Amino acid sequence: MAPRQTEKGFLSATYEQITSPENTTIVRSILVFGVGVAFLHSSLSELLLPPL
């Protein structure tokens, strides 16, 4: 009898793809973009404006 393969759930398959070494640059780029958008959307982005 052959060993039975268990199917992975959606979350575990997604986590495996995200943590895959070949996808690190893509995941890092998406995270940096998200941090940039969050910073520019926050009140801290007013620090970038020159004083009047």
Side-chain angles (χ1 to χ4, degrees):
M1 185 155 48
R4 186 176 173 192
Q5 290 182 333
T6 58
E7 291 187 24
K8 295 181 181 178
F10 175 75
L11 291 177
S12 64
T14 303
Y15 178 77
E16 184 176 313
Q17 286 297 317
I18 288 174
T19 57
S20 173
E22 57 197 24
N23 293 333
T24 54
T25 56
I26 296 170
V27 172
R28 191 175 299 139
S29 299
I30 292 171
L31 287 175
V32 168
F33 178 78
V35 168
V37 168
F39 174 76
L40 292 175
H41 188 68
S42 72
S43 62
L44 292 175
S45 64
E46 293 178 6
L47 295 173
L48 299 174
L49 295 173
L52 296 176

